[in-house]
């Protein structure tokens, strides 16, 4: 596949930088092949350390994790395979425990996307900058978090006005049931926060809203798409033509 893991990792770093630019108090710092991100969102997946290269510097990872931890928000660490063994001790010393990782997936041929766009009774649309609370409500209902508040920082109007960022909601008979975010930067579009309300799953809604984000990105000049897949989402994305380019390792706060 022409889209390799290095290319996707770089795109992920650019996406974090774009998001952080519009969130007050948020920050990104690079060191030793890793990226430290603090958004202030009270969700572990929105703060932490991400590896942009495989052989990250353990000392840099330690310093970045300490900076993120000092922010007082939930955080995680995601690294590409091939990280140095010393990183395991760095994570353990900071209260992080390994959990199942997620595949990083990419698509450079959108021919299968069009077939997923149209689902009976589902109406898809992009939200205006002042409608971010609708994404927060659907995303909270579709995730185990179950609280809207953590999503508000990333759905404020300033964020929804970021160039290339689009937030989508799909509704059935007026009820919002699925949502996603697409971010088009340079020649790629990243898809984030895909969520469907539990009682409306397995009807093609998640595939449809993902396909809309991909289609709009390609229409805006992107030539490939990428995302990080949950176990439930992976077969959905494969049906759209996404393929795994790398499986990242994941750490989160150890449960006590």
């Amino acid at each position: 596949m022409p889209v390799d893991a290095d290319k996707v990792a770089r795109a992920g770093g650019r996406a974090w930088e774009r998001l952080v630019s519009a969130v007050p108090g948020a920050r990104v710092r690079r060191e030793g092949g890793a990226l430290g991100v603090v958004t202030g969102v009270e969700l572990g997946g929105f703060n932490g350390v991400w590896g942009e290269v495989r052989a990250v510097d353990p000392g840099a990872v330690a310093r970045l994790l300490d900076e993120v931890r000092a922010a007082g928000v939930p955080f995680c660490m995601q690294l590409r395979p091939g990280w140095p063994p010393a990183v395991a001790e760095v994570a353990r010393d900071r209260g992080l425990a390994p959990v199942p990782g997620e595949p990083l997936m990419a698509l450079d041929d959108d021919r299968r996307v069009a077939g997923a766009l149209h689902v009976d009774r589902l109406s898809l649309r992009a939200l205006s900058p002042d409608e971010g609370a609708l994404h927060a409500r659907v995303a909270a209902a579709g995730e185990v978090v179950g609280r809207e508040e953590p999503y508000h920082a990333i759905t404020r109007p300033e964020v929804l006005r970021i160039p290339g960022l689009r937030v989508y909601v799909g509704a059935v008979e007026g009820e919002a049931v699925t949502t996603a975010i697409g971010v088009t930067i340079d020649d790629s579009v990243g898809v984030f926060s895909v969520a469907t309300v539990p009682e409306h799953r397995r009807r093609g809604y998640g595939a449809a809203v993902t396909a809309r984000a991909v289609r709009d990105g390609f229409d805006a000049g992107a030539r490939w798409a990428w995302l990080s897949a949950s176990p439930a989402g992976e077969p959905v994305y494969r049906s759209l033509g996404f393929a795994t380019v790398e499986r990242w390792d994941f750490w989160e706060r150890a449960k006590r």
Side-chain angles (χ1 to χ4, degrees), residues 14-231:
R14 292 196 300 269
W16 277 120
E17 289 176 323
R18 185 71 62 90
L19 174 64
V20 161
S21 69
V23 177
R27 59 189 183 274
V28 169
R29 190 171 77 81
R30 280 185 172 83
E31 183 182 355
L35 190 74
V37 179
V38 175
T39 65
V41 177
E42 292 289 330
L43 293 172
F46 285 89
N47 311 280
V49 173
W50 280 261
E52 291 192 295
V53 301
R54 293 180 178 88
V56 292
D57 175 11
V61 170
R63 288 187 288 274
L64 291 171
L65 281 174
D66 288 342
E67 291 177 15
V68 173
R69 183 171 59 172
V73 291
F75 64 96
C76 70
M77 181 170 70
Q78 297 186 49
L79 299 181
R80 301 177 63 185
W83 44 269
V87 170
E89 183 177 352
V90 168
R92 187 168 54 250
D93 289 347
R94 286 152 182 80
L96 293 173
V99 296
E102 295 183 346
L104 200 65
M105 307 183 77
L107 169 154
D108 65 354
D109 182 343
D110 65 339
R111 285 178 295 179
R112 288 157 65 180
V113 167
L117 279 170
H118 304 291
V119 179
D120 186 40
R121 300 193 305 150
L122 181 71
S123 174
L124 294 168
R125 69 182 181 92
L127 301 182
S128 65
D130 61 350
E131 293 183 295
L134 182 55
H135 168 77
R137 185 164 74 243
V138 180
E143 298 289 345
V144 294
V145 176
R147 296 182 294 118
E148 296 180 30
E149 292 78 10
Y151 294 94
H152 288 166
I154 58 166
T155 57
R156 60 178 69 219
E158 307 95 285
V159 175
L160 270 66
R161 292 192 184 99
I162 290 174
L165 186 145
R166 299 179 181 86
V167 181
Y168 303 92
V169 160
V172 174
E173 297 179 356
E175 178 187 0
V177 298
T178 191
T179 190
I181 297 175
V183 183
T184 304
I185 303 175
D186 300 329
D187 64 344
S188 71
V189 54
V191 185
F192 306 87
S193 296
V194 180
T196 301
V197 177
E199 56 268 31
H200 290 277
R201 291 175 182 165
R202 301 185 181 279
R203 302 179 188 180
Y205 300 159
V209 73
T210 302
R212 172 65 185 271
V214 172
R215 182 67 267 162
D216 284 357
F218 274 59
D219 287 346
R223 294 193 294 273
W224 57 282
W226 62 276
L227 51 77
S228 179
S230 66

